Amino acid sequence: VNSKWKSFNIPRSGMGQVYTFAEVKAEQLNNVPLDTLREAKKSELEAACKEAIVNTLFESDALGSTHSYDCRPEDQSNLAIAVAAGEGDEIYAHTQPAFTKKLHDHSQCVQLAKDMRIHIQGCRDKRDGLLVQVNAITEDTPENRAALEAITW
């Protein structure tokens, strides 16, 4: 780490000491109302949830053995269309080390959709549990501010 970033030349009450970057950050956060910090944390968790849904592979045994699948919006849409149409589809399935299209019949698409739903709901459940922790922090104390900052995806 470059030493110029380790501290700022901001005198502490004329004592000749300087604040570290972490102290400056903490001082700035201390001036932000707790409700504002809580809302920012909620937004951070919402974004992390959406990111986890679309950027984390989920597993399914729809083909008879375990494969990993993407859950991007286009994957969700394509699977929903196949299920609604009562048809199968070629869907990308991850198997080590390959990532290939594999034909799924309608019943396999239905099972895959169920497994995708479990993945999505698991992410949402995790988010909801973390939001409960955020909402429980109502008293503005240094300990609670630290606890709020410690809540991460």
Side-chain angles (χ1 to χ4, degrees):
V1 176
N2 188 333
S3 63
K4 76 176 188 175
W5 296 110
K6 289 183 181 177
S7 63
F8 292 93
N9 191 15
I10 303 171
R12 289 185 186 163
S13 307
M15 293 188 287
Q17 298 173 330
V18 295
Y19 287 107
T20 65
F21 182 79
E23 289 171 325
V24 170
K25 180 181 174 191
E27 183 62 31
Q28 290 170 343
L29 288 178
N30 286 336
N31 294 325
V32 176
L34 181 63
D35 286 343
T36 302
L37 292 176
R38 286 176 53 215
E39 290 307 313
K41 182 59 73 171
K42 289 177 188 179
S43 294
E44 175 186 309
L45 294 172
E46 288 291 343
C49 179
K50 289 176 184 176
E51 184 80 11
I53 288 170
V54 301
N55 289 327
T56 304
L57 298 176
F58 71 96
E59 292 185 341
S60 176
D61 293 334
L63 291 174
S65 62
T66 303
H67 291 77
S68 298
Y69 296 86
D70 286 314
C71 192
R72 299 167 304 187
E74 60 267 26
D75 300 309
Q76 295 174 39
S77 177
N78 291 339
L79 185 57
I81 291 168
V83 169
E87 300 174 354
D89 198 1
E90 283 190 328
I91 299 171
Y92 281 101
H94 296 266
T95 53
Q96 296 302 327
F99 176 55
T100 59
K101 270 189 172 180
K102 295 193 179 284
L103 183 60
H104 293 63
D105 64 27
H106 181 256
S107 65
Q108 290 168 331
C109 285
V110 170
Q111 182 58 51
L112 183 57
K114 289 177 182 179
D115 294 337
M116 181 183 280
R117 176 76 177 122
I118 290 168
H119 163 69
I120 292 169
Q121 193 57 51
C123 292
R124 290 177 178 163
D125 289 347
K126 179 176 180 177
R127 175 208 56 205
D128 292 347
L130 294 170
L131 290 175
V132 166
Q133 293 177 39
V134 170
N135 289 329
I137 298 173
T138 57
E139 186 179 348
D140 194 351
T141 66
E143 295 80 15
N144 282 346
R145 284 174 174 264
L148 182 63
E149 189 173 349
I151 297 171
T152 60
W153 187 261

